[in-house]
Amino acid sequence: MNGKVRLGEFLQTRRSQLQPEDLGIPGYGERRRVPGLRREELASLAGVSVSYYTRLEQGQSLNASPQVLDAIARALRLEAAERLHLHDLARSSATGSGRVRRPAPEWVTEATGQLLEALVHVPAIVTGRRSDVLAWNRLGHALFAGHVDPDAPNRPADRPNMARLVFLDAHTRDLYADWPAKARAVVGNLRLVAGRHPDDTALHALVGELSAKSLDFASMWADHRVTACAVATYEMRHPLVGPLTVTQQTLSQGLGPDQGQNIVVATTEADSPARTTLALLDQVTPQHDPARRGIRAGSG
């Protein structure tokens, strides 16, 4: 799917999700044939002509200025991550697809490996651009995917993928008390990444696989919601130690050889039952050293 189609789909979907009454647009009791705002209403709110906005939705108008995109974003009530996504889609639409290639396997640097080792009592995993698990420490493996081979991050072809686990793995689905919230966060983040990397064939293959195998994923993907998953609190139901509430924080690696990678850590409140439960998981987890798993020797 090219950038023009992705931009048009995003605009159409988000326009359909806005209710006229929420924006102070009088309906006069009329019955609408389609949900959401009409194109002329959205164009009026954004301060652009109806013909121009229509061409933008239909992929017939290129090189929309940042000012126009910001005006449309305000009219659509987009949040910061969604606004960034809109600009990414517009840039992809204007420049067209570049040379499509399958990216080389990602690896974690020695410096990131040292960080995982330092977080010995904090569950931590390193994920790549497409949510592949590139490395994890002992507690990270035990909390998020203890049923998976701990050495799997060493083998690029066998690496666990967090999106696949959330949607296709029964263990991971049961792990989250509010699974839909976790699932929506995963889809929203994938949307954001897909907008930044429109020519990533491996990412598009992952989206296609999940859409074909999970009706939940297909429905959420069609919603065009975008989420930057920086901090979120989840109640987890661990099969070994029981329920615990954790705060998952995603630390993005923006520069250097780790660019596009994220470090995901799970923390608990001091003196809370969850802190005690996590300490119990630490005690019952075998004392091996997977912190360096997924880290190529000499990388960095």
Side-chain angles (χ1 to χ4, degrees), residues 8 12 17 27 31 35 38-39 46 56 65 120 122 125 129 139 179 187 194 196 210 242 258 264-265 277-278:
Q12 292 171 28
Q17 294 165 349
R31 189 166 194 170
R38 298 188 177 102
R39 282 175 176 162
L56 197 61
S65 70
V120 62
V122 178
I125 64 175
R129 176 195 297 177
L139 265 184
W179 178 85
V187 173
R196 292 173 183 165
L210 294 176
D258 291 333
V264 182
V265 297
T277 302
L278 191 60

Side-chain angles (χ1 to χ4, degrees), residues 18-26 37 42 45 74-77:
L18 286 176
Q19 299 305 314
E21 55 270 24
D22 295 337
L23 301 177
I25 299 175
L37 294 184
L42 196 283
L45 289 171
R74 287 192 294 270
L76 289 172
R77 303 290 180 89

Side-chain angles (χ1 to χ4, degrees), residues 9-86:
E9 284 187 351
F10 179 74
L11 292 173
Q12 292 171 28
T13 302
R14 298 314 304 270
R15 177 169 58 82
S16 71
Q17 294 165 349
L18 286 176
Q19 299 305 314
E21 55 270 24
D22 295 337
L23 301 177
I25 299 175
Y28 304 109
E30 62 180 321
R31 189 166 194 170
R32 294 179 174 239
R33 290 178 298 174
V34 294
L37 294 184
R38 298 188 177 102
R39 282 175 176 162
E40 57 266 28
E41 292 169 335
L42 196 283
S44 176
L45 289 171
V48 299
S49 70
V50 177
S51 60
Y52 176 80
Y53 179 77
T54 300
R55 292 196 304 273
L56 197 61
E57 271 200 5
Q58 294 176 346
Q60 299 172 357
S61 180
L62 304 178
N63 298 317
S65 70
Q67 293 78 12
V68 168
L69 293 174
D70 285 339
I72 292 174
R74 287 192 294 270
L76 289 172
R77 303 290 180 89
L78 301 185
E79 297 180 354
E82 297 169 324
R83 185 177 306 228
L84 176 62
H85 183 63
L86 174 62

